[in-house]
Amino acid sequence: MYLTLVFLPLISALVAFFVRFIGNKYAAYICTSLLGFTFILSIKSFYYIALLQNSCYIQTLPWLFGENLIVFWGFLFDSVTCTMLIVVTSISFLVHFYSIEYMGSDPHLGRFMSYLSFFTFFMLILVTADNMVQMFVGWEGVGLCSYLLINFFFNRIQANKAALKAMVMNRIGDFGLSLGIMALFYVCKSLDYHVIFSSILLFVDNSFYFFNIKINLITCICLLLFIGAVGKSAQIGLHTWLPDAMEGPTPVSALIHAATMVTAGVFLIIRCSFLFEFSETALDILTILGALTAFFAATTGLLQNDAKRVIAYSTCSQLGYMVFVCGISGYSTSLFHLANHAFFKALLFLTAGSLIHAVHDEQDFRKMGGLAYILPFSYSMLLVGSLSLTGFPFLTGFYSKDMILELTFSTYLIKGTFAYILGVLSAFCTAFYSFRLIFWAFLAKPNGYKHTYSHASESNFFITFPLGVLALASIFVGYLFRDMFIGVGTSFWNNSIFILPENNFVLESEFIPVYNKLTPVVFSFGGLIIAFCFYNFLIKKIFIVKIFYIKFYTFLNKRWYFDKIYNEFIALPIISFGYKITFKFIDRGILEIFGPTGLITNFTYLSKNISSIQSGLMYHYLFIILLGITITLFTVIVIIQKMLYVSTNLVLIFILAVIGSSLKN
Amino acid sequence: MIIEQSHFLFVSLYIFAISIGGLLLNRRNIIILLISIELMLLAINLQFVIFSVFLDDIIGQINALLILTVAAAESAIGLALLVVYYRIKGTISINKINLLHG
């Protein structure tokens, strides 16, 4: 069952890839039904493994056999894996289902389905791997599939650029991750999770010197792994690919940027909780970077005008939440938020897709407006998703997000307070931009063309069904699974997550003051109400405000100038370095001169010079002959003199004697 | 004054050096070239004779006779080439013999 679960998406991908024999629609149906079957299997595995607390470990074919390096194709199913399985397969199934209609008119539907299934397959490989190398296979595989999916419309230059950017930014992180894996192998002499995690305690105090700086080994490994997570999970620094990846079709955004790919980084951190727990420094950095990401993305999302971009920044922000709660050892909370976030973020993305589909692929929500009466279903879905995202009480988002903030508040550490403040501010911003989007798209006065409105309508069953399911999940999942996932003293995780006792603040978080428990909710409500008032009553003033704070507006709208800085101070110098220095100066310069070109020209020149000695004039030849004889004689004399350790005169006498005796005979 | 072997040898060496000088420094006339070569052979001949006398050995003189014949034959061939060359080029200046250069 477990291996079927992993390999069904692969079969589905292969079937869909050879689609031209069976037709696009059929391929889509086959893919979707296979994914549905995968989903059923993952529910079953969730029951057996997570609920009955019965981890499963399958070791199949051998893969790498070195001296110490032994890697099998192994599959590890524990509570963390099964939670991820449920998230990935359910979202993937719904996205497949959704794409049947959403991408129905696309001539490459089969290819699209194939890529989606491939993506799911690699994600399953990632979450079910029992060793670092196989996890890396999945890690690179989802990167590859994200590349293929983002530039699915490969004839669009923007899509290609976005896909390249996603690939390259991810590769920066992957480099860190592969270094981390190598370091792990260096330390533990194994890459299997169970060996690494059980032996890491032995290496806690080990350190090494790098440029005379003493670095703790575990800290170094954790930071390298975290660099990988930064790339994949779009933390601040390597986040710029995520909003650009919105160039792909919307179901892709829902799958990649809500449920699967970006969660891989957080999954890695949660999986490696056994390592991160032993490195205080790494946890601090996790917290700070996560909190900064949450805050940065939330503020940036405030003033974006593209429906999908707003949601992308909210993804980035929520990933920040997940990471900083990992930083204060709330791994289970992080995973809970990850699961909940997958549901409501997929809902938001798919609803945005339905919205965009209805208004003829217009993504700028300032050109929509007043769609609440035409698209009431989408409106209610987006409302549910947004309320869940903002942590409206008793919806899914509330249970995980407030738990995160409570946990951060209840730590006795300065980093916890830092993350708490930024998290609460981000909650405020989240509410604000969610309702800004809803207001502009649905409640404002119509701003689009009349043509758009006369043709706008709700989509059919294939699009609405996933939305309905996800909306139900966004409402109920948090409440239903709260006690199981993050309840006090839950045994659900069953040793798949490790928290040092001194890092565990779950109990404290239950007993923090009431007003601190209320603060995030109050801030969210504040954002919601302010957004509502701002865009409902002060709509005329918006322009004046914008002009008055134009620098501030541009700063947020241009995403804190991150792209500008990266392009001008990193990308451009690197490119010009690559062209001017490495290409023109070294490759075509130094190496050419000492290499082929220089040799050819110099030798031609030299040989011309030498052959010009041969002037044709007889007395030149004579001179050279005499010179040659003299030099030869002199050399012979010197050599003989050196060999026999005698003086020049003796040598001359010797030569004359030789000549004389030869004459005599 | 006793005449030593070295005096004779020096004479022949000077002749040889003069003839090399003639070969090297002459830029006009091929005939002078031939004469220098003849002079060279004469210097060598002289050398042979001197050694023959001082070593009290007849082989040197036989060699000298042999070289005389060779020199005669050589100068005959050389002059013949010179005549042919002059018929074609109309000049015997060495400076003009530079068609075969690198």
Side-chain angles (χ1 to χ4, degrees):
Chain A
M1 180 182 86
Y2 300 114
L3 291 182
T4 321
L5 159 66
V6 175
F7 285 98
L8 266 185
L10 179 65
I11 295 168
S12 152
L14 293 177
V15 167
F17 199 75
F18 299 106
V19 64
R20 54 185 179 277
F21 304 118
I22 48 174
N24 271 340
K25 274 285 179 202
Y26 293 107
Y29 291 137
I30 290 170
C31 275
T32 312
S33 45
L34 283 175
L35 259 295
F37 197 56
T38 315
F39 176 51
I40 292 165
L41 285 181
S42 64
I43 289 175
K44 211 175 152 194
S45 69
F46 186 78
Y47 172 73
Y48 278 122
I49 283 159
L51 296 187
L52 301 186
Q53 308 222 329
N54 197 1
S55 303
C56 171
Y57 173 67
I58 304 167
Q59 205 171 36
T60 59
L61 301 173
W63 183 14
L64 300 174
F65 267 76
E67 194 178 346
N68 281 330
L69 178 67
I70 297 171
V71 178
F72 281 85
W73 287 100
F75 297 89
L76 170 68
F77 292 81
D78 58 6
S79 302
V80 172
T81 303
C82 282
T83 313
M84 290 299 288
L85 279 183
I86 289 279
V87 169
V88 171
T89 54
S90 62
I91 302 294
S92 175
F93 166 62
L94 290 172
V95 165
H96 274 77
F97 194 83
Y98 181 91
S99 306
I100 294 175
E101 168 64 21
Y102 190 83
M103 302 293 287
S105 53
D106 195 285
H108 298 290
L109 179 63
R111 187 164 61 91
F112 185 72
M113 286 291 177
S114 169
Y115 289 164
L116 284 185
S117 298
F118 245 124
F119 190 89
T120 317
F121 168 67
F122 277 121
M123 195 64 200
L124 293 186
I125 285 281
L126 197 161
V127 295
T128 60
D130 83 322
N131 59 61
M132 281 287 178
V133 187
Q134 195 180 333
M135 191 278 295
F136 198 64
V137 170
W139 188 273
E140 291 296 314
V142 291
L144 167 71
C145 288
S146 78
Y147 172 80
L148 293 172
L149 281 168
I150 292 166
N151 74 350
F152 178 72
F153 300 129
F154 53 83
N155 43 13
R156 287 180 55 210
I157 186 77
Q158 281 304 330
N160 279 308
K161 278 156 70 181
L164 281 177
K165 191 173 185 181
M167 197 74 175
V168 171
M169 291 302 249
N170 268 304
R171 199 45 32 85
I172 297 170
D174 295 345
F175 188 65
L177 177 60
S178 49
L179 282 181
I181 290 174
M182 287 173 218
L184 267 179
F185 181 71
Y186 170 71
V187 174
C188 297
K189 303 286 181 283
S190 173
L191 290 168
D192 287 351
Y193 285 150
H194 58 271
V195 179
I196 295 172
F197 296 157
S198 50
S199 65
I200 202 69
L201 200 59
L202 300 172
F203 308 106
V204 168
D205 293 326
N206 286 21
S207 53
F208 66 100
Y209 286 91
F210 184 75
F211 283 122
N212 221 13
I213 302 166
K214 191 178 180 187
I215 302 171
N216 188 306
L217 212 49
I218 309 285
T219 304
C220 176
I221 291 170
C222 287
L223 288 181
L224 287 170
L225 295 180
F226 181 56
I227 289 171
V230 165
K232 209 51 116 189
S233 287
Q235 295 301 298
I236 201 163
L238 294 176
H239 66 276
T240 52
W241 67 272
L242 184 65
D244 282 14
M246 293 298 119
E247 290 296 334
T250 312
V252 172
S253 310
L255 187 60
I256 300 184
H257 310 298
T260 49
M261 186 170 165
V262 291
T263 60
V266 181
F267 169 77
L268 177 72
I269 297 172
I270 293 169
R271 176 59 92 201
C272 295
S273 59
F274 293 83
L275 305 183
F276 280 92
E277 275 306 294
F278 291 110
S279 171
E280 198 66 35
T281 323
L283 286 180
D284 292 352
I285 290 172
L286 238 68
T287 315
I288 289 164
L289 269 182
L292 282 176
T293 310
F295 183 67
F296 150 75
T299 49
T300 309
L302 283 178
L303 293 170
Q304 297 299 311
N305 295 320
D306 183 319
K308 285 174 75 180
R309 226 163 248 269
V310 170
I311 303 173
Y313 275 108
S314 97
T315 304
C316 203
S317 170
Q318 300 302 312
L319 287 166
Y321 276 91
M322 292 173 211
V323 169
F324 78 64
V325 79
C326 281
I328 50 154
S329 301
Y331 302 103
S332 52
T333 318
S334 176
L335 192 55
F336 186 48
H337 192 56
L338 193 159
N340 294 345
H341 169 259
F343 290 118
F344 57 70
K345 194 47 63 70
L347 174 65
L348 284 173
F349 265 121
L350 293 182
T351 313
S354 136
L355 180 66
I356 291 163
H357 205 50
V359 295
H360 303 291
D361 301 330
E362 177 58 62
Q363 292 199 11
D364 192 335
F365 58 70
R366 289 172 301 182
K367 294 182 190 163
M368 295 176 188
L371 289 169
Y373 303 100
I374 305 172
L375 307 170
F377 183 73
S378 297
Y379 173 52
S380 47
M381 290 301 110
L382 200 63
L383 196 60
V384 168
S386 295
L387 286 175
S388 195
L389 173 69
T390 53
F392 193 82
F394 315 118
L395 292 188
T396 295
F398 170 74
Y399 291 104
S400 52
K401 195 170 174 179
D402 275 26
M403 182 68 189
I404 288 175
L405 292 173
E406 282 169 20
L407 256 181
T408 45
F409 181 78
S410 60
T411 56
Y412 307 108
L413 305 164
I414 191 94
K415 64 177 182 181
T417 317
F418 176 75
Y420 179 74
I421 293 167
L422 286 187
V424 167
L425 288 176
S426 310
F428 173 80
C429 295
T430 308
F432 189 90
Y433 64 64
S434 297
F435 282 87
R436 182 167 172 267
L437 168 62
I438 287 181
F439 179 82
W440 274 118
F442 290 106
L443 300 176
K445 290 203 175 68
N447 286 322
Y449 301 110
K450 188 188 171 192
H451 176 77
T452 315
Y453 287 93
S454 53
H455 286 79
S457 65
E458 288 289 359
S459 312
N460 67 6
F461 175 72
F462 283 110
I463 285 188
T464 50
F465 173 71
L467 297 188
V469 173
L470 285 171
L472 288 178
S474 303
I475 295 169
F476 294 116
V477 161
Y479 173 69
L480 290 178
F481 290 93
R482 179 185 191 279
D483 278 333
M484 192 162 83
F485 277 55
I486 52 170
V488 177
T490 176
S491 61
F492 175 74
W493 299 107
N494 197 17
N495 287 339
S496 55
I497 286 175
F498 171 74
I499 303 176
L500 277 181
E502 61 261 35
N503 284 349
N504 199 342
F505 301 105
V506 174
L507 269 181
E508 281 88 339
S509 76
E510 298 290 327
F511 298 107
I512 61 174
V514 175
Y515 62 90
N516 279 116
K517 282 197 180 230
L518 286 178
T519 313
V521 181
V522 168
F523 266 81
S524 291
F525 267 110
L528 197 155
I529 290 162
I530 288 173
F532 183 74
C533 296
F534 202 67
Y535 287 104
N536 219 16
F537 304 123
L538 298 171
I539 188 79
K540 299 238 166 57
K541 297 274 196 297
I542 284 176
F543 182 70
I544 297 165
V545 172
K546 178 181 161 184
I547 293 301
F548 196 71
Y549 294 109
I550 186 71
K551 282 198 172 154
F552 181 66
Y553 177 87
T554 323
F555 178 67
L556 292 186
N557 188 262
K558 297 288 175 200
R559 309 147 218 166
W560 287 29
Y561 296 120
F562 257 105
D563 286 276
K564 197 174 165 62
I565 289 166
Y566 277 8
N567 286 338
E568 287 182 7
F569 294 103
I570 296 176
L572 211 62
I574 286 175
I575 288 170
S576 66
F577 179 85
Y579 180 69
K580 284 180 189 152
I581 307 293
T582 51
F583 178 68
K584 286 188 83 174
F585 183 66
I586 295 175
D587 273 10
R588 306 291 296 169
I590 294 173
L591 292 181
E592 278 288 325
I593 285 168
F594 288 109
T597 313
L599 281 181
I600 289 166
T601 48
N602 277 326
F603 271 76
T604 319
Y605 182 70
L606 269 175
S607 62
K608 266 190 186 144
N609 273 357
I610 289 170
S611 76
S612 72
I613 291 172
Q614 209 172 13
S615 60
L617 292 168
M618 220 172 276
Y619 41 84
H620 286 170
Y621 294 168
L622 277 168
F623 175 71
I624 289 163
I625 289 166
L626 284 173
L627 201 68
I629 289 168
T630 319
I631 288 170
T632 317
L633 269 177
F634 182 75
T635 325
V636 168
I637 287 165
V638 168
I639 288 170
I640 292 168
Q641 183 189 355
K642 292 270 175 207
M643 277 164 64
L644 301 177
Y645 301 104
V646 289
S647 72
T648 319
N649 291 336
L650 280 174
V651 175
L652 273 173
I653 292 165
F654 172 75
I655 289 173
L656 288 176
V658 169
I659 294 167
S661 64
S662 70
L663 281 176
K664 200 167 185 179
N665 298 327
Chain B
M1 188 181 101
I2 304 158
I3 296 172
E4 293 174 6
Q5 183 192 15
S6 60
H7 292 115
F8 291 100
L9 282 178
F10 277 123
V11 169
S12 104
L13 207 64
Y14 288 145
I15 296 172
F16 192 82
I18 288 165
S19 69
I20 284 175
L23 283 174
L24 280 179
L25 303 176
N26 164 40
R27 311 210 154 184
R28 293 275 167 75
N29 209 331
I30 294 184
I31 295 175
I32 293 174
L33 213 71
L34 283 172
I35 293 169
S36 296
I37 291 169
E38 289 299 317
L39 202 58
M40 237 173 181
L41 289 167
L42 282 178
I44 289 163
N45 252 350
L46 189 57
Q47 196 102 320
F48 270 115
V49 171
I50 293 162
F51 273 110
S52 167
V53 168
F54 277 90
L55 294 175
D56 201 15
D57 190 350
I58 202 69
I59 294 173
Q61 291 173 37
I62 293 170
N63 257 331
L65 281 173
L66 215 64
I67 290 170
L68 271 182
T69 49
V70 168
E74 190 218 294
S75 57
I77 294 168
L79 281 171
L81 285 173
L82 181 63
V83 170
V84 173
Y85 179 76
Y86 180 73
R87 202 179 291 156
I88 294 167
K89 291 287 256 191
T91 174
I92 50 168
S93 172
I94 300 174
N95 281 329
K96 295 290 189 298
I97 315 176
N98 60 352
L99 287 174
L100 279 173
H101 53 78

